[in-house]
């Protein structure tokens, strides 16, 4: 798989392109603009960039005020600070009144591997998914990221997007078009469906190749929209193979695995979730080390496939 | 300065609003005290200060009113109903299932409400956002905010105070409803958020102290605030919680309590 740009970079570039065409787009940042890439907006449109400093709660509610006056504010910080520190502001001033605020959680999952647990977000999807009126996006690569940023501008209402800090393999075709809630079939298979999101889709594709040699056929599906999900499409995909594995760089509670399980609750399809097993992260010298430590590996997914096939 | 008859009109409106607050609550639990303490400020804003057309409550260049202490929304409902924005018989539906008169304001349900507030500490940030967006759009309306004195213990207020000063948001005018009581007792004993004047001045705001029940002082303070070219203004309004209903005045029990049927009758009589 060819390595593409980091989603945070693709996000920053796409937002700049859209800001050139749409005067209402503004960006707010909490002293992380060089990481979140809103430095591009600051450079080109300084009057539409707002440094809100290290005060996420005020930043989110200020963005809500801007939305009340017709702006399309993109609010930026690391995923863990944005969704954690400012959860109440997101609930009370964004989701509940349905203000047109776009929440951009950068350095999501373990992608800020060096900084440790304080900076790693393994619960952002759960937090945002629990809010009525909130759309929750998790792009797989730079192509999907760009498509989702376009969607965020076009859609009127609150959206959360989680953005990986690091380069990610290109999974989708250049002509991919994002449709809210729709699962994307990446590679077909007949024995088990692996629903993945973010970096875990490329890992699942490697698993598919490995298991093919053992005579197991895995279907790989990318879930870019964590909420809302197209229920019928998810059920159809799950029932086609009759077995499901979910893979995410997030706590097993409340993220993709939970969302799929809730969707498939009334079916008889068994599900084995792979994710962070309810532990906080820690620092590591490299990203792959963390994936091994937290069980987000090809081996773990292979085991999960075998486990689910045993009860199919 | 406003003419005497204009001041008297505002005072008359405030009296009607207070009566309507009592009529809304009846003998149910509700935020009587904090609504009564801001009534003269809210009446002055709607009937003497703001560019606000009840026939077109979403008019682009209207002045905005953000009630950060959302639990006192009864005073705002009373003003908006008096302006004819909603039918008066809605007074009877406060906090009923499906009513636009929610316990805390919901902009989606009630025209004239600018923001959903009530989770304390968010109003100043919302006002700053509106002010920043208005500046981009080259519009020059004002944003009036009422913040409770107890509410000032929410840290987000001070994040917002720094932001308004940094961005020189001179069109943000904040009233601090200094009734000196929070839900569980006197602020100075429970958790002292004072001194207000020195704090706002220190953070780079203009700040004035006034009698928050004196309509002329409220109007004059707004006039002063509008002279500012590069600073937001805090108007520290000394108020009486429960103002206008003798047994509720300065009584922390009426932060969120119900009147007995006898008290209800007495309150209506006092507000005649």
């Amino acid at each position: 798989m060819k390595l593409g740009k980091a989603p945070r970079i693709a996000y920053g570039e796409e937002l700049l392109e859209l800001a050139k065409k749409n005067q209402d787009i503004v960006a707010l940042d909490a002293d992380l603009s060089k990481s979140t890439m809103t430095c591009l907006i600051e450079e080109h449109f300084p009057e539409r960039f707002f440094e809100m400093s290290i005060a996420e709660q005020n930043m989110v509610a200020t963005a809500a005020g801007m939305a009340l006056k017709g702006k399309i504010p993109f609010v930026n910080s690391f995923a863990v600070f944005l969704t954690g520190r400012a959860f109440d502001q997101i609930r009370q001033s964004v989701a509940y009144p349905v203000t047109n605020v776009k929440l951009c959680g950068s350095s999501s999952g373990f992608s800020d591997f060096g900084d440790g647990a304080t900076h790693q977000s393994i619960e952002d999807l759960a937090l945002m998914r629990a809010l009525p009126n909130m759309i929750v996006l998790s792009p797989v690569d730079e192509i999907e990221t760009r498509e989702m940023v376009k969607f965020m501008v076009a859609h009127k209402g609150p959206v959360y997007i989680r953005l990986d800090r690091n380069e990610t393999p290109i999974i989708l075709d250049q002509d991919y078009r994002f449709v809210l809630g729709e699962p994307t079939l990446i590679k077909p298979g007949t024995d088990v469906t692996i629903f993945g999101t973010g970096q875990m889709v490329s890992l699942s594709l490697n698993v598919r190749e490995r298991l093919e040699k053992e005579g197991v056929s895995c279907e790989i599906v990318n879930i870019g929209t964590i909420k809302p999900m197209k229920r019928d499409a998810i059920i159809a995909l799950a029932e086609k193979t009759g077995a499901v594995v979910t893979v995410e760089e997030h706590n097993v509670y409340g993220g993709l695995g939970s969302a799929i399980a809730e969707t498939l609750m009334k079916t008889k399809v068994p599900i084995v979730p792979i994710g962070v097993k309810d532990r906080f992260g820690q620092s590591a010298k490299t990203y792959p080390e963390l994936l091994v430590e937290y069980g987000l590996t090809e081996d773990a997914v292979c085991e999960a496939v075998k486990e689910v096939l045993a009860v199919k | 300065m406003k003419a005497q008859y204009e001041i008297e009109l505002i005072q008359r409106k405030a009296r009607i609003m207070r009566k309507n607050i009592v009529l809304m609550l009846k003998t149910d639990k509700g935020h009587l005290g904090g609504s009564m303490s801001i009534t003269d400020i809210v009446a002055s804003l709607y009937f003497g200060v703001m560019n606000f057309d009840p026939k077109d409550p979403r008019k682009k260049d209207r002045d905005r009113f953000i009630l950060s202490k959302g639990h006192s929304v009864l005073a705002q409902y009373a003003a908006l109903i008096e302006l004819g924005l909603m039918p008066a018989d809605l007074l009877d539906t406060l906090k009923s299932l499906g009513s636009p008169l929610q316990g805390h304001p919901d902009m989606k349900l009630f025209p004239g409400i600018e923001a959903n507030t009530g989770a304390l500490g968010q109003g100043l940030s919302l006002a700053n956002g509106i002010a920043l967006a208005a500046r981009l759009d080259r519009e020059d309306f004002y944003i009036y905010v009422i913040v409770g004195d107890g509410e000032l213990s929410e840290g987000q207020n001070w994040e917002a105070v720094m932001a308004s000063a940094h961005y020189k948001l001179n069109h943000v005018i904040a009233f601090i409803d200094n009734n000196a009581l929070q839900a569980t007792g006197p602020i100075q004993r429970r958790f002292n958020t004072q001194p207000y004047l020195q704090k706002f001045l220190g953070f780079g705001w203009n700040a004035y102290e006034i009698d928050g029940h004196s309509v002329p002082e409220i109007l004059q303070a707004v006039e002063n605030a509008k002279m500012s070219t590069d600073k937001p203004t805090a108007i520290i309004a000394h108020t009486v919680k429960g103002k206008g209903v003798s047994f509720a005045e300065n009584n922390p029990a009426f932060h969120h309590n119900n009147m007995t049927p006898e008290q209800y009758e007495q309150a209506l009589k006092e507000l005649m």
Side-chain angles (χ1 to χ4, degrees), chain B residues 19-35:
Chain B
K19 192 176 144 206
N20 281 343
I21 289 169
V22 171
L23 287 171
M24 261 185 265
L25 280 171
K26 302 187 178 63
T27 53
D28 291 340
K29 261 184 182 289
H31 291 102
L32 177 70
S35 301

Side-chain angles (χ1 to χ4, degrees), chain B:
Chain B
M1 262 322 275
K2 296 266 181 200
Q4 186 58 28
Y5 78 90
E6 291 172 295
I7 289 167
E8 280 168 16
L9 170 94
I10 295 167
Q11 288 165 337
R12 198 161 59 244
K13 292 291 185 188
R15 199 156 51 241
I16 296 169
M17 283 162 59
R18 282 199 168 88
K19 192 176 144 206
N20 281 343
I21 289 169
V22 171
L23 287 171
M24 261 185 265
L25 280 171
K26 302 187 178 63
T27 53
D28 291 340
K29 261 184 182 289
H31 291 102
L32 177 70
S35 301
M36 293 300 207
S37 67
I38 65 167
T39 299
D40 297 298
I41 300 168
V42 177
S44 300
L45 290 175
Y46 277 111
F47 299 102
V49 171
M50 291 203 300
N51 169 19
F52 180 79
D53 179 359
K55 291 191 189 66
D56 189 6
R58 294 275 167 220
K59 197 171 64 151
K60 204 163 168 251
D61 67 346
R62 70 190 183 279
D63 289 330
R64 267 65 164 180
F65 172 60
I66 305 282
L67 183 59
S68 192
K69 47 172 296 191
H71 57 279
S72 300
V73 70
L74 304 185
Q76 193 181 7
Y77 290 155
L80 292 173
I81 287 173
E82 188 59 20
L83 280 163
L85 249 167
M86 294 285 258
D89 57 11
L90 271 178
L91 288 178
D92 293 329
T93 69
L94 177 72
K95 293 196 276 186
S96 305
L97 191 66
S99 169
L101 275 69
Q102 292 289 298
H104 291 81
D106 185 347
M107 56 180 266
K108 305 191 296 300
L109 301 179
F110 201 113
I113 300 283
E114 300 282 2
N116 294 21
T117 52
L120 294 174
Q122 305 202 19
L124 278 175
S125 308
L126 291 164
N128 287 346
I130 295 171
L132 287 166
R135 183 176 286 172
L136 279 178
D137 293 340
R138 304 198 193 291
E139 292 175 36
D140 60 359
F141 58 82
Y142 283 85
I143 304 110
Y144 299 92
V145 192
I146 298 182
V147 185
D149 48 4
E151 185 186 3
L152 285 177
S153 45
E154 287 278 10
Q156 188 189 339
N157 281 309
W158 301 104
E159 297 181 358
V161 165
M162 283 188 278
S164 337
H166 174 78
Y167 283 104
K168 299 182 171 34
L169 299 177
N170 61 317
H171 281 223
V172 170
I173 300 176
F175 286 88
I176 310 304
D177 176 29
N178 182 202
N179 62 34
L181 292 174
Q182 59 189 99
T184 52
I187 287 173
Q188 273 187 297
R189 285 219 308 272
R190 303 301 293 170
F191 186 93
N192 193 4
T193 51
Q194 292 194 29
Y196 307 126
L197 193 75
Q198 292 90 326
K199 277 185 178 141
F200 278 96
L201 291 172
F203 276 99
W205 283 49
N206 298 311
Y208 308 103
E209 289 194 79
I210 62 161
D211 172 354
H213 299 304
S214 159
V215 172
E217 286 193 35
I218 295 166
L219 298 177
Q220 185 57 51
V222 171
E223 285 306 308
N224 295 347
K226 285 185 169 179
M227 304 286 281
S228 171
T229 53
D230 61 351
K231 284 180 181 178
T233 297
I235 301 169
I236 295 140
H238 299 294
T239 57
V240 173
K241 201 156 181 169
K243 175 77 174 173
V245 176
S246 58
F247 56 84
E249 285 191 0
N250 281 321
N251 182 351
F254 283 95
H255 172 79
H256 186 254
N257 210 347
N258 58 304
M259 290 174 276
T260 62
E262 295 74 31
Q263 286 174 326
Y264 174 66
E265 291 305 327
Q266 187 189 335
L268 286 179
K269 210 174 292 168
E270 287 180 11
L271 293 167
M272 275 304 151

Side-chain angles (χ1 to χ4, degrees), chain A residues 183-302:
Chain A
T184 312
L185 179 63
I186 305 294
K187 288 278 182 194
T190 51
D191 295 326
V192 60
T193 310
I194 303 179
F195 290 108
T197 192
Q199 292 267 26
M200 296 299 106
V201 175
S202 58
L203 183 138
S204 303
L205 285 166
N206 293 339
V207 167
R208 182 176 182 273
E209 272 185 35
R210 259 173 68 169
L211 288 177
E212 211 164 31
K213 290 169 195 142
E214 297 177 29
V216 177
S217 167
C218 301
E219 181 152 299
I220 309 298
V221 177
N222 171 44
I223 302 293
T225 312
I226 304 296
K227 182 188 171 189
M229 282 187 174
K230 285 198 173 164
R231 196 183 155 74
D232 293 347
I234 300 287
I235 291 174
L237 284 164
E239 287 186 332
K240 195 174 82 181
T241 63
V244 164
V245 169
T246 62
V247 202
E248 64 194 305
E249 197 178 316
H250 185 276
N251 202 347
V252 281
Y253 295 125
L256 171 71
S258 298
I260 294 285
E262 287 156 20
T263 306
L264 299 179
M265 210 179 273
K266 286 185 184 163
T267 72
K268 293 191 167 41
V269 181
I271 308 160
V272 173
I274 293 290
V276 181
K277 292 183 176 61
D278 208 26
R279 294 164 63 198
F280 283 109
Q282 58 183 296
S283 290
K285 296 279 189 200
T286 66
Y287 172 68
E289 277 176 87
L290 276 179
L291 296 187
V292 171
E293 174 63 26
Y294 287 86
L296 304 176
T297 60
E298 290 175 26
D299 285 348
V301 178
C302 286

